[in-house]
């Protein structure tokens, strides 16, 4: 797995994630300009699957594309623990990038 180059910011945002019109609730635990770690409330998505993320930044609803790079089912030794996804954001929208900038 590649080492990330961008700084992560610890920040929680409730969001929805999914694909094929099926969405699940989750919470971001940290953010960077091109990625985030999500605590999944229910469903873990397979690695390399493209997903859609929907979250509220301030008073604005933002939708963006993400690609799952890792999940806790593959990298976690505790199957009873929390479910997590590492998501790469290949083309984050400008309003998301501005939000990240304001957090730092």
């Amino acid at each position: 797995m590649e080492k990330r180059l961008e700084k992560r910011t610890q920040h929680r945002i409730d969001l929805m994630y999914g694909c094929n019109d099926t969405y699940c609730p989750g919470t971001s635990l940290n953010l960077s300009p091109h990625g985030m770690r999500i605590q999944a409330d229910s469903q873990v998505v397979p690695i390399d699957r493209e997903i859609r993320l929907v979250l509220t930044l301030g008073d604005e609803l933002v939708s963006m594309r993400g690609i799952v790079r890792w999940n806790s089912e593959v990298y976690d030794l505790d199957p009873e623990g929390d479910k997590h996804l590492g998501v790469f954001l290949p083309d984050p929208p400008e309003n998301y990038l501005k939000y990240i900038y304001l957090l730092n």
Side-chain angles (χ1 to χ4, degrees):
M1 183 180 301
E2 286 181 34
K3 185 174 179 173
R4 74 181 49 84
L5 300 174
E6 297 173 322
K7 178 185 174 207
R8 291 178 286 169
T9 300
Q10 302 298 314
H11 188 70
R12 297 176 74 89
I13 299 175
D14 292 331
L15 54 82
M16 299 294 287
Y17 66 94
C19 50
N20 299 330
D21 297 327
T22 302
Y23 287 85
C24 300
T27 304
S28 73
L29 300 178
N30 64 50
L31 306 170
S32 73
H34 288 92
M36 67 175 64
R37 180 178 183 175
I38 297 173
Q39 182 173 347
D41 286 358
S42 58
Q43 181 180 351
V44 172
V45 178
I47 293 172
D48 293 329
R49 175 80 47 95
E50 186 172 308
I51 60 173
R52 177 69 43 194
L53 301 161
V54 179
L55 54 150
T56 302
L57 302 177
D59 59 353
E60 190 173 2
L61 190 64
V62 176
S63 176
M64 65 183 112
R65 181 173 71 99
I67 300 169
V68 177
R69 291 296 187 219
W70 62 266
N71 68 45
S72 57
E73 286 182 351
V74 173
Y75 292 106
D76 196 354
L77 299 177
D78 180 10
E80 301 301 317
D82 291 336
K83 298 172 176 74
H84 293 270
L85 304 171
V87 179
F88 171 63
L89 306 172
D91 51 356
E94 190 64 32
N95 47 2
Y96 173 78
L97 295 173
K98 286 180 184 177
Y99 187 85
I100 297 295
Y101 176 75
L102 292 173
L103 290 175
N104 291 322

